[in-house]
Amino acid sequence: EVQLLESGGGLVQPGGSLRLSCAASGFTFSNYAMNWVRQAPGKGLEWVAAVSGTGGSTYYADSVKGRFTISRDNSMNALYLQVKSLRVEDTATYYCGKVTYHYGSGIDSWGHGTLVSVSS
Amino acid sequence: QSALTQPASVSGSPGQSITISCTGTSRDIGTYNYVSWYVQHPGKAPKLMIYDVGKRPSGVSSRFSGSKSGNTASLTISGLQADDEATYYCSSYTRTSTYVFGAGTEVTVL
């Protein structure tokens, strides 16, 4: 059974940084691209970033480009999102998700999310 | 990247069929057969219902079907049930190698 478990969220001041983590199990992690998707309180889903199975290719939404960095450690079955220069509008639950079979297709497994709150 | 356009709400009676539209552009839905649909119940993570326009993941009821014509994709729920009441999101791959979501459609079972 595929399991994804996010951690690392918390309360941070504007301009601050956090490192989100996603521990994966139940599948061959290195075979799949992985995504981060966020959801502001009471709002819809927003795709944030993705990384290829090897980690060699990364992709970002315009809203986070230059501030967020996605990475993975296939030896640890772990996905990361380094978030910097945080803004109030970055407040959201951050989900990690695994693609169905290749990048571009749907996200078939989701974690339960980790909440990032940006406030002074 | 602009969000895909979905109706804010759709409703139907138990047993009826409803269709949710999702309109994009030639930069996303119109070019790629990588449209997905997700359902999200309050306080829960999203769940994939349809991928690659019309494919259903294992375990998803055949009452859910997807299609696409031009820049618009659609999700049809047939035999509407009370527990179908939730928010549904569409998503598409885009020309800039990113994903874009719709704003979500609240489905109400009357």
Side-chain angles (χ1 to χ4, degrees), chain A residues 35 37 39 43-47 50 59-62 95 99-113, chain B residues 1 34-36 38 40 43-48 50-52 55 57 89 92-93 96-104:
Chain A
N35 295 264
V37 176
Q39 186 170 36
K43 302 297 184 182
L45 301 173
E46 180 187 13
W47 178 83
Y59 313 91
Y60 296 95
D62 288 344
Y95 296 99
V99 298
T100 50
Y101 60 102
H102 80 78
Y103 186 63
S105 188
I107 299 171
D108 67 356
S109 300
W110 298 68
H112 287 98
Chain B
Q1 180 66 46
Y34 287 142
V35 178
S36 301
Y38 303 87
Q40 188 177 35
K44 301 292 188 182
K47 175 187 174 184
L48 180 66
I50 295 288
Y51 68 101
D52 294 359
K55 297 178 182 177
Y89 295 92
S92 176
Y93 184 63
T96 54
S97 300
T98 60
Y99 288 81
V100 62
F101 281 92

Side-chain angles (χ1 to χ4, degrees), chain B residues 11-18 79-81 108-110:
Chain B
S11 62
S13 300
Q16 285 187 329
S17 292
I18 61 169
L80 199 62
Q81 299 177 357
T108 301
V109 181
L110 302 171

Side-chain angles (χ1 to χ4, degrees), chain A residues 51-58 72:
Chain A
V51 60
S52 64
T54 63
S57 297
T58 56
R72 64 192 297 160

